[in-house]
Amino acid sequence: MILGIESSCDETAAAICNDGSILSSIVSSQQIHKDFGGVVPEVASREHERLLNHSVEKALDEAEIALSDLDGIGVTQGPGLAGTLLTGVCFAKGLSQSLNIPILGINHLEAHIYANFLTDPTLTYPLVCLLVSGGHTQLWLVKEMADYELLGESRDDAAGEAFDKGARILGLDYPGGPAIEKMAHNGDCKAIDFPRAFYKEESLEFSFSGLKTSLLYFMEKKDKSVILADVAASYQQAILDVLVYKLATAVKRKDVRTCVIAGGVAANNELRSMVKKTIGDEISVLYPEAALCTDNAAMVAYLSELYMEKGFTSPIDFDVSPNLKVV
Ligand code: KG4
Ligand code: ZN
């Protein structure tokens, strides 16, 4: 019975995993940041502090277990905001010591990838994963557990960041991804031809900062007849075209039969259907349900259980690692 704790950014989350099944998964998305149009690290740490105890209690309640039933704790060690990671890790260490059970520091990005195994435990290696979150855009070859090869990543902004910054330019809410997706729904994605960096090139690298600047200039110069839904749809399409093209290229180059997507941007319905349409004929395509794409503790608890079953634990004095890499 493993408790997972996640506090790498602005989601305070706790979940219970037992034998690969999630018994409960509690996510409190901190609403306080909406007033600032983005996450304020210090405020996020204090919110975690306020919400953690209650989230863990709720996770135990929903799983219908007691603290004394726990066999181990997995907690996000990094990457993420130093202060928010520290809040979660200190809380987890306190619990681990008082209950005298092992603790394990978990890589948040690896947990995102493994949300796919949580969704379908029969997934087979090797596979290619497009990992698209607020802080990262990466293509991974997952050869087997703990054996990963980075095939490419963004040189500047992450795809989620492009959504968030784009939404701010368009005057939409934070987080920007869901806001742009909603606004794009009735828009014409061909209305405006935004730039697509490295599109249809061999390179598996990404770049989204030019796109964001191009949106900024467009909005400064646009005339009144331009419809915001068309802008949102065209902007979203520029991001997704590149993501899907690079994923398809990686799948072909590595000759794998399976591909998955992970991270907050993987919750985007247009991305999900584009990936299925473009790659899904002979290759099996999988993505987790939306709640397992955005930050959650179920993926942390699940990956912790996999590692703990293999005998991995962390020393009690392990540190948070805001820039933790997968390899
Ligand atoms: O994985 P995640 O929850 O947190 C990080 O690890 O960063 O990803 C958050 C990112 C944000 O940039 C958010 O705008 C984006 O995921 N996102 C989306 C959608 N839902 C969340 N982007 C596009 N479409 C969505 N539906
Ligand atoms: Zn994340």
Side-chain angles (χ1 to χ4, degrees):
M1 205 65 85
I2 305 295
L3 167 67
I5 292 177
E6 156 63 37
S7 69
S8 64
C9 192
D10 59 339
E11 254 85 34
T12 312
I16 307 288
C17 182
N18 184 38
D19 267 343
S21 298
I22 298 302
L23 305 187
S24 63
S25 177
I26 307 299
V27 181
S28 305
S29 301
Q30 302 177 0
Q31 297 302 318
I32 194 164
H33 305 287
K34 281 204 191 304
D35 298 343
F36 304 98
V39 179
V40 184
E42 181 55 38
V43 174
S45 303
R46 267 185 267 132
E47 280 294 283
H48 284 302
E49 191 99 40
R50 191 173 69 79
L51 294 165
L52 265 168
N53 209 0
H54 181 62
S55 304
V56 170
E57 268 176 11
K58 221 168 149 196
L60 292 166
D61 271 2
E62 280 193 14
E64 298 182 351
I65 62 164
L67 270 178
S68 56
D69 294 320
L70 292 177
D71 300 303
I73 302 176
V75 60
T76 302
Q77 178 179 10
L81 300 167
T84 62
L85 289 166
L86 205 54
T87 316
V89 166
C90 287
F91 182 92
K93 283 181 178 179
L95 256 186
S96 144
Q97 290 230 290
S98 62
L99 298 171
N100 198 23
I101 55 175
I103 187 168
L104 178 64
I106 286 291
N107 184 311
H108 179 82
L109 301 176
E110 191 181 4
H112 269 308
I113 296 172
Y114 272 78
N116 281 287
F117 286 87
L118 170 54
T119 303
D120 179 3
T122 67
L123 262 187
T124 48
Y125 301 101
L127 55 89
V128 163
C129 177
L130 171 70
L131 174 57
V132 268
S133 69
H136 294 81
T137 294
Q138 298 177 324
L139 273 166
W140 286 100
L141 174 64
V142 179
K143 297 175 192 167
E144 56 181 274
M145 196 171 168
D147 188 1
Y148 315 119
E149 181 188 335
L150 183 63
L151 303 173
E153 64 181 330
S154 178
R155 288 188 182 180
D156 40 58
D157 293 353
E161 208 173 342
F163 272 105
D164 294 337
K165 289 178 176 169
R168 202 196 281 210
I169 294 169
L170 295 175
L172 302 175
D173 269 354
Y174 178 86
I180 288 187
E181 179 174 14
K182 194 166 160 214
M183 174 65 75
H185 198 63
N186 296 316
D188 173 8
C189 67
K190 295 198 179 80
I192 303 136
D193 189 19
F194 284 116
R196 289 147 168 81
F198 306 133
Y199 188 41
K200 304 211 166 159
E201 289 178 20
E202 280 298 293
S203 151
L204 293 177
E205 282 186 277
F206 303 84
S207 166
F208 293 108
S209 67
L211 169 64
K212 167 197 68 192
T213 311
S214 154
L215 175 68
L216 186 66
Y217 289 156
F218 179 85
M219 291 304 284
E220 280 172 2
K221 290 195 196 130
K222 79 168 174 58
D223 63 63
K224 288 202 175 68
S225 64
V226 173
I227 301 162
L228 208 54
D230 288 351
V231 183
S234 303
Y235 184 77
Q236 171 174 273
Q237 196 61 41
I239 298 173
L240 302 187
D241 276 348
V242 180
L243 292 179
V244 175
Y245 183 82
K246 301 281 171 193
L247 176 58
T249 307
V251 166
K252 247 185 244 145
R253 192 171 300 166
K254 289 295 160 184
D255 195 23
V256 294
R257 313 310 317 156
T258 307
C259 100
V260 304
I261 55 178
V265 180
N268 186 286
N269 287 306
E270 192 54 34
L271 173 64
R272 293 153 87 95
S273 75
M274 275 175 74
V275 170
K276 272 253 154 92
K277 261 188 238 150
T278 313
I279 305 171
D281 255 2
E282 285 154 29
I283 308 294
S284 98
V285 169
L286 185 76
Y287 35 75
E289 62 178 276
L292 290 175
C293 291
T294 48
D295 284 350
N296 66 86
M299 63 187 192
V300 175
Y302 177 77
L303 185 60
S304 301
E305 189 180 50
L306 290 183
Y307 273 118
M308 281 182 166
E309 274 169 355
K310 292 179 189 292
F312 287 90
T313 58
S314 298
I316 193 67
D317 62 349
F318 79 94
D319 234 334
V320 300
S321 184
N323 297 313
L324 189 62
K325 303 269 183 281
V326 174
V327 288

